[in-house]
Amino acid sequence: MNWYPWLNKIYRPIINAYQQGKGHHALLIHALDGNGADALCYAISRWLMCQSPDGLKSCGHCHSCRLMLAGTHPDHTVLSPEKGKTSISVDAVRKLIEKLSSHSQQGGAKVVWIPNTEALTDAAANALLKTLEEPAQSTFFILQCQRPETLLATLRSRCFYHYLAVPDSDSAWFWLHKNFPQVPYSDAVTALRLSQGAPVAAAKLLETTHWQQRQQFCHALSAALQQQDMLSLLPALNQEGMITRLYWLMGLLTDAMKYQQGAAEFCSNQDQLPLIAQLANIQAPSQLLAAFDKWQNCHHQLLTVTSLNQELILTNQLLDWEKSLVMTSK
């Protein structure tokens, strides 16, 4: 698994605490998606499982390290939803507790990593509480989450909380430039801003397919605005990844409002300034704000309400936006 330089700031004090015998048996790692939290949790697990740690690093040579590298260590458990499911059931937690009650097969530590702690059902989280509070000797939990406020307070209270902050913008851009030297500066800045500063997520966005899809969407939006035919944007929205495309659209509307206030340098979509100017010049600030609110409501509905006719919702919203554009031009 790749290692990222901004992880050192949180990794070192965690391992130092374990070296001094002060490390907590349950860590709650709070991080944005795409900020390298998986690599951090794996590295901590590697160190805890290692039979001969080399300072802050796992040795990489002992039997436990070789098993971890192969992904077959019997005392390292990754608790995730079963295939085809989105939540971790209470039965899965009970099986885990039963497994943890026995001695470690390799005679060392036992580590449980939960990459998506939010996936625990309330019943599963409650079933885990006692074991989390009073684990067997040399048993460690690493809980990873993006929204700690959604977790049970009783679960959070049993863990030592760490927040993995995104690196500063200069460091993030330098890392992106090192890994994507061919990417223009404006594209790298845009990818970072669209990813809330998380470099790994920005790198994923910059991958050819994802970036081309976004550019094609922006081109379709520009053409629709020019022709005042917003319904022509429907094919670009009504497809796989629709929620992401709505996020792109709302970001462009937000940038257009910034542009109208003379704050173009703060726009997220730095590679799409001509499109942002087009949006800014076609409607007044109050109209852009109204359009943003309606798209935000549409986004929320499609994300949270089941059994909606996605195409019909998008069609109605596009026709409503087109009507407001036509009224503005008169």
Side-chain angles (χ1 to χ4, degrees), residues 56-329:
L56 294 173
K57 299 180 180 179
S58 52
C59 72
H61 305 297
C62 68
H63 186 55
S64 284
C65 280
R66 292 197 299 271
L67 288 172
M68 286 292 289
L69 288 169
T72 57
H73 202 301
D75 298 320
H76 181 247
T77 304
V78 181
L79 186 62
S80 297
E82 296 177 3
K83 188 175 181 180
K85 297 184 178 180
T86 58
S87 61
I88 300 172
S89 68
V90 65
D91 289 337
V93 171
R94 286 170 180 161
K95 289 178 182 177
L96 170 68
I97 294 171
E98 183 178 353
K99 178 180 178 181
L100 294 176
S101 65
S102 59
H103 293 291
S104 64
Q105 295 187 39
Q106 295 298 312
K110 290 178 285 186
V111 176
V112 177
W113 174 28
I114 308 180
N116 181 14
T117 307
E118 293 95 333
L120 287 167
T121 63
D122 286 351
N126 279 311
L128 186 62
L129 291 179
K130 183 173 178 58
T131 303
L132 199 61
E133 186 174 18
E134 299 176 357
Q137 187 176 4
S138 298
T139 300
F140 301 91
F141 293 86
I142 303 176
L143 281 63
Q144 184 179 332
C145 70
Q146 296 181 44
R147 303 181 309 282
E149 70 279 2
T150 66
L151 304 178
L152 293 179
T154 47
L155 185 74
R156 298 198 306 268
S157 68
R158 286 160 171 76
C159 303
F160 196 95
Y161 172 87
H162 291 275
Y163 175 61
L164 174 59
V166 297
D168 63 81
S169 56
D170 288 342
S171 298
W173 179 84
F174 179 80
W175 181 84
L176 268 183
H177 179 67
K178 182 179 178 182
N179 288 274
F180 297 87
Q182 76 285 0
V183 172
Y185 176 78
S186 62
D187 288 10
V189 171
T190 297
L192 281 168
R193 292 183 180 181
L194 290 177
S195 305
Q196 298 178 278
V200 182
K204 184 177 180 180
L205 178 58
L206 285 169
E207 290 176 1
T208 304
T209 302
H210 293 88
W211 198 249
Q212 284 181 349
Q213 288 173 349
R214 177 178 164 275
Q215 289 178 320
Q216 289 167 1
F217 173 78
C218 290
H219 178 76
L221 175 59
S222 179
L225 289 168
Q226 187 173 3
Q227 299 165 15
Q228 290 194 349
D229 179 14
M230 302 315 297
L231 195 57
S232 67
L233 192 61
L234 182 61
L237 281 172
N238 190 34
Q239 55 177 284
E240 186 179 357
M242 176 269 299
I243 292 297
T244 298
R245 284 168 168 74
L246 289 181
Y247 172 70
W248 293 340
L249 176 57
M250 290 188 292
L252 289 163
L253 288 168
T254 301
D255 282 348
M257 289 184 274
K258 294 176 186 176
Y259 190 93
Q260 289 177 334
Q261 300 302 316
E265 69 271 23
F266 296 107
C267 290
S268 296
N269 297 275
Q270 287 292 311
D271 66 325
Q272 295 293 334
L273 290 179
L275 173 56
I276 292 167
Q278 185 181 6
L279 276 166
N281 293 329
I282 206 167
Q283 287 192 300
S286 60
Q287 292 170 316
L288 282 175
L289 180 59
F292 175 86
D293 286 342
K294 289 179 179 179
W295 278 113
Q296 187 177 46
N297 182 57
C298 176
H299 176 270
H300 178 73
Q301 281 186 316
L302 292 169
L303 191 63
T304 60
V305 182
T306 58
S307 303
L308 283 179
N309 187 319
Q310 176 177 303
E311 184 174 357
L312 181 60
I313 295 292
L314 292 172
T315 298
N316 287 339
Q317 181 58 35
L318 287 168
L319 288 174
D320 181 76
W321 195 15
E322 182 177 309
K323 181 180 177 181
S324 69
L325 289 173
V326 171
M327 292 177 62
T328 302
S329 64

